[in-house]
Amino acid sequence: MKRARTMTLWLGVIFLFSKPAYAAPPIDPDAEPAAGAPQAVFNFDKDIPNQLPKGFSLPNLTRVSTACWSVQGKSRPVSRPHVLVQNGQAGPGNPFSLILVKDLFLEDGDITVKFKVTENPGSESLGIVYRYQNPELYHVAVIDTKDIGCSLYRVKKDKLKQLDNKGAIVSPYTWHTLRLLFRKSLYTLYLDGQLVMGGKDKTDLRPGQVGLWTTDGTTAEFDDLVIAP
């Protein structure tokens, strides 16, 4: 009996120290939004070239911005004939360039966009903005074709606080698909249908606007933006 108790005790110790660390499970990408939930789809094909797409706005910045987001016709868009283009400028003192969807505030969301980096002068980062409060406070899921990786950041006063980072192959001049799911404190990021990272974020879970983002110097095209709560 004494030997049996000793064996049970050792098994308990082994289980205690071998138990894997907790990791938040990825959000199910096939989970459907709530019944009747609205879904916004932007393919930019009916928008007027050389203008902002309908339903979008630029943030109100205290500094001068030369960011140029506009609808353009391209020979090889994902869906013909138009894409949304950011020409690489953000403006003096503006490290990032943003465009936001008007009148759409999400606490939980499922956002997918197709993207392509078209020039690489040294800065090649773009992403999906969410939980946007103002130009100095928001979250962004970032693709970096130069450093070959994906990151999740909280932006506060133009400073990036990295919440997560994983390596991923992202080729310039090639169309890719980025999908971000966020539900309360959970987040999951997919690139070209493959799970890249997922976890918990407790930094700031307030509802906010969503949109698209690039670093100053990144020229990129976007198409088929789909947003669901």
Side-chain angles (χ1 to χ4, degrees):
M1 180 66 72
K2 183 175 180 180
R3 182 177 179 183
R5 279 203 213 107
T6 302
M7 180 65 71
T8 302
L9 177 61
W10 273 107
L11 287 173
V13 171
I14 292 171
F15 174 78
L16 176 64
F17 285 95
S18 62
K19 187 177 180 180
Y22 173 77
I27 302 170
D28 182 3
D30 297 322
E32 296 294 331
Q39 188 176 59
V41 180
F42 302 96
N43 59 25
F44 313 112
D45 295 332
K46 294 183 179 180
D47 289 298
I48 301 173
N50 302 314
Q51 295 186 16
L52 283 180
K54 185 178 180 180
F56 288 77
S57 64
L58 300 181
N60 295 320
L61 300 174
T62 56
R63 293 159 296 186
V64 175
S65 175
T66 57
C68 186
W69 293 86
S70 63
V71 174
Q72 299 289 332
K74 294 292 180 178
S75 60
R76 294 182 179 179
V78 175
S79 61
R80 297 180 182 275
H82 296 153
V83 296
L84 176 62
V85 176
Q86 208 304 102
N87 72 353
Q89 300 178 8
N94 292 304
F96 316 123
S97 177
L98 293 82
I99 189 169
L100 302 169
V101 179
K102 289 182 179 179
D103 305 321
L104 182 60
F105 294 80
L106 297 181
E107 182 175 9
D108 300 327
D110 181 352
I111 305 173
T112 301
V113 69
K114 294 180 173 64
F115 69 90
K116 177 171 68 172
V117 175
T118 55
E119 291 185 20
N120 56 343
S123 177
E124 308 156 31
S125 299
L126 54 83
I128 296 173
V129 171
Y130 67 110
R131 301 195 188 283
Y132 177 93
Q133 307 299 316
N134 57 60
E136 296 188 337
L137 185 61
Y138 57 89
H139 284 64
V140 59
V142 174
I143 294 293
D144 191 323
T145 62
K146 182 180 180 182
D147 292 337
I148 313 178
C150 300
S151 300
L152 193 75
Y153 294 103
R154 180 175 184 244
V155 180
K156 186 174 183 180
K157 296 182 178 180
D158 291 338
K159 302 296 183 183
L160 295 173
K161 178 182 178 181
Q162 189 176 89
L163 306 177
D164 201 350
N165 174 260
K166 293 291 186 296
I169 297 176
V170 188
S171 304
Y173 309 106
T174 302
W175 282 105
H176 298 277
T177 301
L178 182 64
R179 185 180 185 186
L180 170 69
L181 292 90
F182 55 102
R183 299 277 188 271
K184 295 182 171 54
S185 65
L186 296 178
Y187 63 85
T188 307
L189 194 67
Y190 294 85
L191 178 64
D192 295 332
Q194 300 297 312
L195 174 65
V196 177
M197 62 187 182
K200 279 193 171 184
D201 165 27
K202 297 182 179 180
T203 56
D204 193 335
L205 302 179
R206 286 178 289 176
Q209 286 181 272
V210 300
L212 301 172
W213 179 99
T214 70
T215 51
D216 186 31
T218 298
T219 300
E221 298 176 10
F222 299 88
D223 207 352
D224 293 353
L225 173 64
V226 180
I227 303 170

